[in-house]
Amino acid sequence: MTTLELAGRALAEESARFAGLGWMRGTSGNLSVVLGRDPLRVAVTVSGRDKGELTSDDVVVVGEDGLAVADQPYPDKVPSAEAGLHARIAAVSGAGAVIHVHALAPVVAAEHWPDGVELRDLEMLKGFGRAAHDDLVTVPVIANGQDMRVLGDAFEAGFRADTPAVIVARHGIYVWGDDLRHARHRLECLEWLLRFTVETRLSLTGSQREKGLRAMADERGVR
């Protein structure tokens, strides 16, 4: 098999995995792997296909601008609309693979913390490549938009080499790594971390609300 065929098979397998988790509902989400760097060439999943049903042929090679290049087996296939951001992330971070999914926890977390989601003192941070204790991790949040150049500029402005992820508000999350498996492991750990952070915040808010209601009832009783 050619390098592109191997990449297409890997992208299809990982897409099916994420679709099974409910993180790539319908045709949402996209994945990519870097094929070369001089010039930058990225294999990205095609647009408009159910991510649980991709085949090794459902892949397009794009350049640094996210547009399909002519010298490939599938020049007429349409890459994901977000291919430009995949290419930008790969170029800036040096990653070998980028995963973009629509898991709910990151989007909800960005609603609560639009200036960045802080994580600390959680064992699962080690799976995300950071220390479990005494290490503040802030996952950046950028505003959503349809212009990948604008999104790419926002990503690059907040990029930190030790935080391989960015949340796009009211959209989804991008996570990257040395290869697809590495990126997947990071995403799985980060999704857990963000879900924990959201759910504990909601629990705390509910507890505070109950305390407030009890205090009001007690005050009325005294009066």
Side-chain angles (χ1 to χ4, degrees), residues 84-106:
L85 186 52
H86 280 256
R88 186 74 166 271
I89 290 172
V92 171
S93 70
V98 181
I99 294 173
H100 169 50
V101 299
H102 290 193
L104 185 59

Side-chain angles (χ1 to χ4, degrees), residues 3-4 9 16 24 30 34 43 51 53-54 70 82 85 107 132 147 155-156 165 185-186 197 200 213 217-218 222:
T3 300
L4 182 57
R9 174 183 288 183
M24 300 181 87
N30 31 75
V34 174
K51 297 309 186 296
E53 301 175 353
L54 297 184
E82 291 144 345
L85 186 52
V107 181
D147 189 327
F155 149 72
E156 190 166 356
H185 290 168
R186 284 176 163 176
T197 301
T200 52
L213 290 173
D218 292 342
V222 170

Side-chain angles (χ1 to χ4, degrees), residues 64-86:
E64 63 181 7
D65 55 5
L67 300 178
V69 300
D71 56 334
Q72 63 171 309
Y74 317 118
D76 297 328
K77 289 189 176 182
V78 179
S80 164
E82 291 144 345
L85 186 52
H86 280 256

Side-chain angles (χ1 to χ4, degrees), residues 133-151:
H133 303 287
D134 300 323
D135 185 11
L136 173 61
V137 178
T138 302
V139 182
V141 176
I142 61 176
N144 192 21
Q146 303 308 307
D147 189 327
M148 293 304 110
R149 291 172 298 179
V150 174
L151 284 181

Side-chain angles (χ1 to χ4, degrees), residues 8 27 42 44-45 52 65 69 71 73 87 94 100 106 111 117 123 134 142 146 162 165 169 177 187 215 217 221:
T27 64
V42 179
V44 63
T45 49
D65 55 5
V69 300
D71 56 334
H100 169 50
E111 287 288 293
V117 185
E123 191 72 16
D134 300 323
I142 61 176
Q146 303 308 307
D162 60 357
L187 172 60

Side-chain angles (χ1 to χ4, degrees), residues 26-194:
T27 64
S28 68
N30 31 75
L31 285 72
S32 66
V33 293
V34 174
L35 302 175
R37 299 223 172 248
D38 189 21
L40 181 66
R41 291 292 182 264
V42 179
V44 63
T45 49
V46 297
S47 177
R49 289 293 308 275
D50 187 316
K51 297 309 186 296
E53 301 175 353
L54 297 184
T55 70
S56 59
D57 292 337
D58 292 319
V59 61
V60 186
V61 181
V62 302
E64 63 181 7
D65 55 5
L67 300 178
V69 300
D71 56 334
Q72 63 171 309
Y74 317 118
D76 297 328
K77 289 189 176 182
V78 179
S80 164
E82 291 144 345
L85 186 52
H86 280 256
R88 186 74 166 271
I89 290 172
V92 171
S93 70
V98 181
I99 294 173
H100 169 50
V101 299
H102 290 193
L104 185 59
V107 181
V108 175
E111 287 288 293
H112 293 308
W113 299 283
D115 296 324
V117 185
E118 294 187 353
L119 307 168
R120 68 172 85 214
D121 296 333
L122 290 162
E123 191 72 16
M124 194 69 82
L125 280 166
K126 292 193 293 187
F128 185 57
R130 299 292 291 271
H133 303 287
D134 300 323
D135 185 11
L136 173 61
V137 178
T138 302
V139 182
V141 176
I142 61 176
N144 192 21
Q146 303 308 307
D147 189 327
M148 293 304 110
R149 291 172 298 179
V150 174
L151 284 181
D153 289 345
F155 149 72
E156 190 166 356
F159 171 71
R160 284 186 48 166
D162 60 357
T163 306
V166 62
I167 301 171
V168 181
R170 299 202 166 195
H171 185 136
I173 188 168
Y174 289 78
V175 180
W176 49 93
D178 296 337
D179 53 33
L180 278 172
R181 177 174 291 185
H182 189 213
R184 181 224 304 163
H185 290 168
R186 284 176 163 176
L187 172 60
E188 289 173 343
C189 293
L190 181 56
E191 191 276 340
W192 185 96
L193 289 160
L194 293 170

